[in-house]
Amino acid sequence: MRPILLQGHERSITQIKYNREGDLLFSVAKDTVVNVWYSVNGERLGTYNGHTGAVWCVDVDWDTKNVLTGSADNSCRLWDCETGKQLALLKTSSAVRTCGFDFSGNIIMFSTDKQMGYQCYLNYFDLRDPQQIEDNQPYISVPCNDSKITSAVWGPLGEFVIAGHENGEINQFSAKSGEVLKKAKEHTKQINDIQTSVDLTMVISASKDNTAKLFDSTSLDHIKTFKTERPVNSAAISPIMDHVVMGGGQEAMEVTTTSTRIGKFEARFFHAAYEEEFGRVKGHFGPINCVAFHPDGKSYSSGGEDGYVRIHYFDPHYFEFEFEG
């Protein structure tokens, strides 16, 4: 089946996210626009307007009531999903790189960049306390002195946040005290993306060191490694099969040819247990910046440096992929 092409951004896609049911797909890019699409047919439902800089991250809560976005305009914003109304504006000193709702949808976390003389912070807000939002005072703010956070997700039960750092470290930050609970250093270079499995028991990290790695989310034990010959920008775990999809390619500035064959801009499928690649899907005219599986496991989406989001439907039990012998 041909992929559905979503053309709603003028600059490269930074993150895509399905809601829990999978009927909606949220996309953010470096062009200030936050789009929401019907995933079944690629129709654009609407936009969330207000950001004035590149939008780095997006998340939607469990019951698709609220949307959270973080941007290079030094703000993290909370939106009403249905109406597109801005509910809260949290100002920061530097760009907001990652953001996320915990499982309850009551606690949000976001991390800020280390730039312009400001430190990287991981902030926790409780949305049930309007005073925190009004005063812009998080109930915990954790400084990350060593290396800035480049990607972060909530762990199981909302007890901690699993964060990937610029130096390749993965840390667990407690949502109660802010202290570091566990550490893992398996990657040698920056972590570009971290995503959880559907039951939150595992996380997959994508790194500039040309690998994606699977970890136990509670113990941070390293389980599997998926190797490629180029930086991995994003990786996602299938909710129904032992499959992993990865997207990557060279940095935009390192791409000298426009040939999609030489640039290697395919999404790659690996078997989660055997660590073997079994399929590739071509499509983007530039590196793939983010990938996400539909919650039913029967389709996946990818967002590229080319500004397009593509939704690919496939039968996960039977792959007709191009093999490269």
Side-chain angles (χ1 to χ4, degrees):
M1 185 174 161
R2 290 187 58 204
I4 302 173
L5 197 61
L6 311 184
Q7 301 173 284
H9 293 284
E10 291 173 359
R11 294 192 58 202
S12 53
I13 310 294
T14 48
Q15 196 176 18
I16 51 179
K17 190 70 77 72
Y18 283 98
N19 64 343
R20 187 175 54 97
E21 288 81 17
D23 59 328
L24 300 181
L25 177 64
F26 296 84
S27 64
V28 292
K30 291 182 183 173
D31 61 3
T32 76
V33 183
V34 183
N35 283 321
V36 56
W37 314 81
Y38 284 119
S39 65
V40 66
N41 58 4
E43 183 190 337
R44 181 155 72 166
L45 182 58
T47 59
Y48 302 92
N49 300 326
H51 279 298
T52 55
V55 189
W56 289 118
C57 53
V58 62
D59 195 23
V60 55
D61 64 4
W62 197 75
D63 48 7
T64 320
K65 247 197 3 224
N66 297 331
V67 178
L68 190 65
T69 55
S71 165
D73 65 7
N74 297 0
S75 76
C76 185
R77 295 173 197 237
L78 186 70
W79 312 85
D80 183 302
C81 182
E82 197 178 350
T83 63
K85 197 166 141 264
Q86 184 176 302
L87 301 176
L89 165 62
L90 300 166
K91 282 197 156 52
T92 57
S93 311
S94 55
V96 178
R97 179 66 56 174
T98 66
C99 64
F101 289 98
D102 80 335
F103 196 64
S104 67
N106 292 325
I107 314 276
I108 60 166
M109 66 85 182
F110 63 87
S111 74
T112 58
D113 269 357
K114 184 177 179 175
Q115 67 189 81
M116 301 181 301
Y118 290 102
Q119 200 51 334
C120 162
Y121 283 99
L122 177 62
N123 296 316
Y124 294 96
F125 281 87
D126 192 329
L127 298 178
R128 291 165 296 191
D129 179 4
Q131 205 57 47
Q132 286 182 26
I133 309 294
E134 217 171 284
D135 302 343
N136 201 1
Q137 266 319 97
Y139 74 88
I140 301 177
S141 187
V142 187
C144 305
N145 309 329
D146 310 333
S147 179
K148 81 165 192 188
I149 294 175
T150 49
S151 180
V153 289
W154 278 95
L157 302 174
E159 289 174 355
F160 51 79
V161 164
I162 302 166
H165 296 257
E166 207 170 24
N167 61 2
E169 261 184 20
I170 296 179
N171 289 330
Q172 281 179 1
F173 292 97
S174 165
K176 307 265 191 300
S177 62
E179 63 187 333
V180 176
L181 304 173
K182 294 234 164 46
K183 271 187 179 182
K185 178 108 170 56
E186 296 286 340
H187 286 291
T188 54
K189 290 186 183 164
Q190 173 180 320
I191 290 171
N192 291 326
D193 183 35
I194 289 190
Q195 293 193 36
T196 53
S197 59
V198 68
D199 58 2
L200 302 183
T201 56
M202 293 186 294
V203 293
I204 190 161
S205 58
S207 168
K208 263 190 179 159
D209 66 6
N210 301 4
T211 65
K213 290 178 189 279
L214 205 57
F215 294 88
D216 181 281
S217 54
T218 315
S219 65
L220 284 193
D221 289 339
H222 172 225
I223 307 168
K224 299 282 176 189
T225 299
F226 310 98
K227 295 190 180 78
T228 67
E229 0 21 282
R230 53 186 187 273
V232 186
N233 292 338
S234 184
I237 304 168
S238 166
I240 56 169
M241 307 286 283
D242 291 332
H243 295 163
V244 164
V245 65
M246 286 154 58
Q250 304 100 317
E251 296 267 346
M253 57 186 182
E254 292 161 17
V255 179
T256 51
T257 52
T258 49
S259 158
T260 53
R261 174 44 77 241
I262 298 168
K264 296 240 165 72
F265 304 127
E266 303 115 326
R268 318 175 115 202
F269 280 78
F270 281 75
H271 195 283
Y274 303 126
E275 305 180 351
E276 282 172 4
E277 184 180 356
F278 62 84
R280 292 185 185 186
V281 182
K282 286 211 287 276
H284 285 281
F285 297 99
I288 295 173
N289 290 342
C290 45
V291 289
F293 266 106
H294 188 288
D296 71 6
K298 296 191 172 78
S299 66
Y300 81 94
S301 302
S302 54
E305 193 70 33
D306 55 9
Y308 295 127
V309 177
R310 303 171 82 96
I311 303 177
H312 295 260
Y313 282 86
F314 60 92
D315 181 349
H317 301 275
Y318 178 73
F319 283 89
E320 271 194 22
F321 285 146
E322 171 204 357
F323 279 88
E324 296 203 352

